Amino acid sequence: MEWYSVPRSLMPLTSSGELDACVYKAIQALPGVSKTQFLLNSALALIDAGQYGDDVENYFDVLLRMPGLPQDQLTRALLARGSARRAAGEQLLARAEDDFRTVLQMDPHNAEARRMLRRESRVETAGQPLYRQLPLEVWELIASFTPRHHLRQWLFVSSFFRDVAQRSIFRKVDVYFSEDTDIIARVMDFFERVKADPAFAVRIKTLRLHWAMEDGDLLDLLIRIFRTTLPAFKGLYEFEWIGYPELGPDCVVALQDSHPRLQRLGMVGWHFDAIGVEHFSNLVKFTLRAEDDDGSADMGEIRMVLDNNEQTLRHLCLGASLNRVHSWDEAFESSAIRNLSQLELVDTRISHLVLTRLIHASSLRALTLHGTFEDVNAAAVILGSDHVVDGQHTLLPLLEEFRFVMVGHDDDLHLFQAAARFVKGRRRIRRLDLGNCPFDLLIGILPSLIALRVLRLKTGFLSEQTVASLVKALPREMSGIHVAVTTSARPLHEFAPEFAKFAALEILHLNRISHRRPQPTLMSDKDFHAQTDAWLANARSVAQAVRSLDFVGWHREHFVVARNEYGEVAELKELPTRKRLDCGQGVDLGDDGAWLERKDVPVDWETPGL
């Protein structure tokens, strides 16, 4: 065997000290520019290795204080340090957010954690378009003005937009009760979720219960479950009970015990059974719509509700049935009437006392009158007594919304003349529905309503001249128009292009009163499919003609418009019809659309569902 001696230059180092000393000498021998380059490369390598810290910060500090540093090195150093600092900051923010969320899991009502979580929430902005750089509060505000149907699409964009959408979608929840087993299972699941998930329950601000059940053990069970779940709705401030059975004394007591500071309370049904409802004393809105006064509660309680909430009540909705004898005179003797900002009288007989009291409620901003005047001549005199003094109307000077839908007064021309004079020249009016007011009277006052944005009208005959005069009289900023006609010179969809002049128009409803969707029981399958296709094609042509539309109304049916990037109609999706008595709060069409298309004026007491 032969032995070879290894040269000393090739022998391995026995310690790192010799290497360190050699590197140190080599660095000392480098010129200044090479030293700064070496320091910069070292800092970048540590950052890439995930070792950003105080040492790297010191490297950058020394490097950036070097006189005569080349501009390319200065730029690289600043960019690298800035990126490293941002990444480190985002990691700390994420850890802080985890801490706040942990606190909320233990205590969902901790105000400090909720405030800090809102402050620390961020939308990822790096490399994203401008709309993704908006803060959370701005997106929540946008969501509050977005119809729920469109808001559902946010659920599939990202976790950020899903959270924003859920807060808005679950702000108002409608629960439907019936004897169908599938519906009962969903209701039970919902109540279990509310009791088990406080973070979900606190999102619900408005709860609306729709009942369609007969007396029996199942009904008793569901009502007991509802009463035990009520305290879990910690964020609830609005509650409505709709249908049969009506809201009874036991549920009134449970509601008072769990939510004594409830702000909005509504009851819609055939009878008024809510004994004890007068004990609520913080109501901002109160709704009672009962077909008759045969319920177990005394109608005098309504007066007590108004008196007990005089300082807070601002929105009152009372409804009955024109086929039954009823009177609101006692309720309108309450001094709370003068503080109202919104008043709705629906399906009701309006006495001289009631009209006199409401017409002098100077704070009213929204007024709905639907029904029959007991003394039509006196009503015309009261409406006609309005005068303009120094540009200000003497009656209801703050009025912004006016719905005047009279039943049985079509031949009382002097009443509509008085109503037209009452509205003419009001610079605050934004929403208007004068019911069966003759078109000639209506068209004469429209040019004076400069703030008008939503209009519902009815005319006997629609022609090219009628549409042209209407379009000319309306402000270009209109957002909602509903035109109901008896007959027309052409098919209604052919008039749609005339409304394209309104660039902000969100909903257009063209409604021929006698027209109905094709019915399969009245024709052969072939004819039914052919006529249904033509029906939908005509509705689609309306959306195509007016490119700003989000919703199309077509002979009392509604469609939502989905468009592609070029503004063309990609899909026209039919929206569901109303359910039971709650026709006024069905599919979310937005604020203007909901007012324009309100379907519970009147309530159809005879048809529980469509």
Side-chain angles (χ1 to χ4, degrees):
M1 179 180 295
E2 295 185 8
W3 294 91
Y4 297 92
S5 61
V6 179
R8 184 177 183 278
S9 60
L10 298 179
M11 294 179 64
L13 293 174
T14 57
S15 70
S16 61
E18 188 176 350
L19 177 61
D20 294 341
C22 185
V23 171
Y24 177 71
K25 288 181 180 180
I27 293 175
Q28 283 185 321
L30 291 175
V33 175
S34 299
K35 288 180 179 179
T36 57
Q37 184 65 48
F38 174 80
L39 191 59
L40 176 58
N41 291 338
S42 299
L44 295 177
L46 290 172
I47 291 174
D48 291 339
Q51 298 180 24
Y52 174 77
D54 292 339
D55 290 339
V56 177
E57 276 287 325
N58 185 51
Y59 293 168
F60 282 122
D61 183 58
V62 172
L63 180 65
L64 295 174
R65 286 191 287 113
M66 284 293 294
L69 187 67
Q71 185 173 356
D72 61 330
Q73 292 187 13
L74 176 63
T75 302
R76 290 182 64 195
L78 289 173
L79 288 174
R81 186 174 70 172
S83 299
R85 285 176 170 177
R86 171 180 287 181
E90 289 176 349
Q91 290 179 1
L92 290 175
L93 285 174
R95 293 176 183 176
E97 186 171 328
D98 289 340
D99 292 340
F100 299 141
R101 293 189 183 278
T102 302
V103 173
L104 287 179
Q105 288 178 357
M106 297 184 294
D107 180 11
H109 306 293
N110 189 289
E112 180 68 12
R114 295 176 67 85
R115 182 179 65 82
M116 295 301 295
L117 190 60
R118 286 195 299 268
R119 175 189 295 178
E120 299 302 332
S121 295
R122 295 290 186 272
V123 182
E124 180 63 38
T125 62
Q128 296 294 337
L130 182 61
Y131 75 90
R132 291 292 305 276
Q133 302 179 27
L134 297 177
L136 172 64
E137 293 78 9
V138 174
W139 280 113
E140 288 182 334
L141 185 61
I142 293 173
S144 67
F145 289 96
T146 304
R148 185 178 299 186
H149 182 87
H150 293 300
L151 204 58
R152 291 195 183 102
Q153 304 303 316
W154 292 26
L155 299 173
F156 310 103
V157 177
S158 68
S159 60
F160 174 83
F161 286 102
R162 182 170 60 251
D163 290 342
V164 174
Q166 285 179 342
R167 278 192 288 273
S168 182
I169 289 174
F170 290 110
R171 186 176 183 86
K172 181 177 75 173
V173 173
D174 291 77
V175 181
Y176 291 86
F177 295 85
S178 76
E179 297 180 0
D180 183 275
T181 54
D182 291 338
I183 293 179
I184 293 175
R186 288 199 295 269
V187 170
M188 302 287 278
D189 290 343
F190 169 73
F191 283 146
E192 288 298 324
R193 170 83 184 276
V194 169
K195 289 188 286 188
D197 189 350
F200 169 74
V202 78
R203 289 179 176 178
I204 301 173
K205 309 301 180 185
T206 300
L207 180 63
R208 294 161 47 83
L209 305 183
H210 308 263
W211 296 85
M213 300 187 67
E214 298 294 335
D215 293 335
D217 295 338
L218 180 59
L219 174 61
D220 295 339
L221 173 63
L222 290 175
I223 290 181
R224 284 199 303 271
I225 293 174
F226 161 68
R227 289 205 300 261
T228 58
T229 310
L230 255 181
F233 293 95
K234 299 294 185 181
L236 196 67
Y237 72 87
E238 180 174 5
F239 177 80
E240 289 194 31
W241 182 294
I242 301 160
Y244 181 85
E246 290 81 2
L247 181 66
D250 294 342
C251 290
V252 170
V253 172
L255 191 60
Q256 289 171 345
D257 291 341
S258 60
H259 299 84
R261 306 294 292 173
L262 194 70
Q263 296 182 22
R264 297 168 178 263
L265 177 61
M267 295 163 286
V268 180
W270 280 264
H271 309 291
F272 176 39
D273 292 337
I275 297 175
V277 73
E278 74 277 5
H279 297 304
F280 286 99
S281 59
N282 194 49
L283 296 179
V284 176
K285 177 184 178 181
F286 179 68
T287 300
L288 173 64
R289 301 188 62 173
E291 185 184 17
D292 55 45
D293 56 2
D294 293 339
S296 56
D298 187 348
M299 295 298 282
E301 289 194 28
I302 302 173
R303 167 69 184 274
M304 289 187 281
V305 170
L306 301 186
D307 289 341
N308 292 342
N309 294 273
E310 177 182 351
Q311 301 302 319
T312 59
L313 193 66
R314 296 296 179 268
H315 187 173
L316 177 63
C317 178
L318 297 176
S321 173
L322 289 173
N323 297 323
R324 304 297 182 96
V325 177
H326 60 272
S327 172
W328 304 114
D329 288 2
E330 182 180 0
F332 270 75
E333 290 177 354
S334 172
S335 56
I337 299 299
R338 66 169 181 265
N339 298 328
L340 295 177
S341 59
Q342 292 180 261
L343 175 62
E344 303 170 34
L345 295 178
V346 183
D347 285 348
T348 188
R349 300 180 185 276
I350 305 173
S351 68
H352 180 72
L353 183 148
V354 168
L355 183 61
T356 302
R357 291 281 292 162
L358 71 87
I359 209 69
H360 290 96
S362 58
S363 298
L364 274 181
R365 296 179 179 272
L367 176 61
T368 291
L369 297 179
H370 171 268
T372 302
F373 288 119
E374 291 184 355
D375 188 339
V376 64
N377 294 322
V381 171
I382 291 175
L383 292 174
S385 64
D386 180 40
H387 292 84
V388 179
V389 179
D390 296 331
Q392 189 85 344
H393 286 257
T394 55
L395 297 182
L396 307 184
L398 304 180
L399 199 62
E400 298 174 0
E401 304 172 9
F402 186 44
R403 193 191 306 273
F404 187 77
V405 184
M406 293 295 106
V407 179
H409 294 312
D410 292 355
D411 297 330
D412 296 316
L413 181 61
H414 64 298
L415 177 63
F416 290 107
Q417 290 173 335
R421 289 195 300 271
F422 173 77
V423 173
K424 186 176 182 180
R426 290 183 177 265
R427 305 176 68 85
R428 294 175 177 265
I429 285 287
R430 191 179 186 281
R431 297 169 177 167
L432 180 64
D433 177 5
L434 289 185
N436 294 330
C437 179
F439 184 79
D440 293 341
L441 286 177
L442 179 63
I443 202 69
I445 65 173
L446 290 180
S448 67
L449 307 178
I450 60 175
L452 189 65
R453 297 295 179 267
V454 180
L455 175 66
R456 181 167 180 146
L457 64 96
K458 181 179 179 181
T459 182
F461 180 73
L462 192 69
S463 64
E464 292 84 351
Q465 182 179 358
T466 303
V467 174
S469 61
L470 176 63
V471 171
K472 181 180 179 181
L474 292 174
R476 286 295 176 262
E477 299 82 8
M478 293 293 294
S479 65
I481 300 175
H482 182 129
V483 180
V485 303
T486 304
T487 60
S488 61
R490 295 186 297 171
L492 288 187
H493 66 276
E494 296 184 8
F495 292 105
E498 297 297 325
F499 295 92
K501 297 181 175 65
F502 303 109
L505 195 63
E506 299 174 359
I507 179 170
L508 173 64
H509 193 153
L510 300 178
N511 174 20
R512 186 166 179 172
I513 298 172
S514 60
H515 211 36
R516 293 287 187 277
R517 173 189 280 264
Q519 299 297 313
T521 58
L522 302 179
M523 60 190 72
S524 66
D525 288 344
K526 181 179 179 181
D527 290 341
F528 169 72
H529 290 299
Q531 293 188 27
T532 300
D533 291 343
W535 171 281
L536 297 176
N538 292 338
R540 186 185 183 92
S541 68
V542 174
Q544 195 70 284
V546 187
R547 300 173 73 89
S548 63
L549 290 181
D550 290 326
F551 300 96
V552 171
W554 186 242
H555 306 298
R556 297 167 301 286
E557 296 185 12
H558 295 96
F559 301 83
V560 62
V561 184
R563 300 182 184 273
N564 59 24
E565 57 184 323
Y566 306 107
E568 299 171 344
V569 179
E571 182 183 8
L572 193 70
K573 185 174 182 179
E574 185 177 354
L575 296 176
T577 56
R578 73 180 178 102
K579 294 183 178 181
R580 306 174 191 155
L581 297 181
D582 129 49
C583 39
Q585 300 288 335
V587 174
D588 183 6
L589 302 174
D591 289 341
D592 287 340
W595 192 92
L596 184 71
E597 298 301 302
R598 182 170 173 177
K599 301 177 188 177
D600 60 344
V601 183
V603 163
D604 188 350
W605 298 99
E606 302 300 326
T607 307
L610 294 179

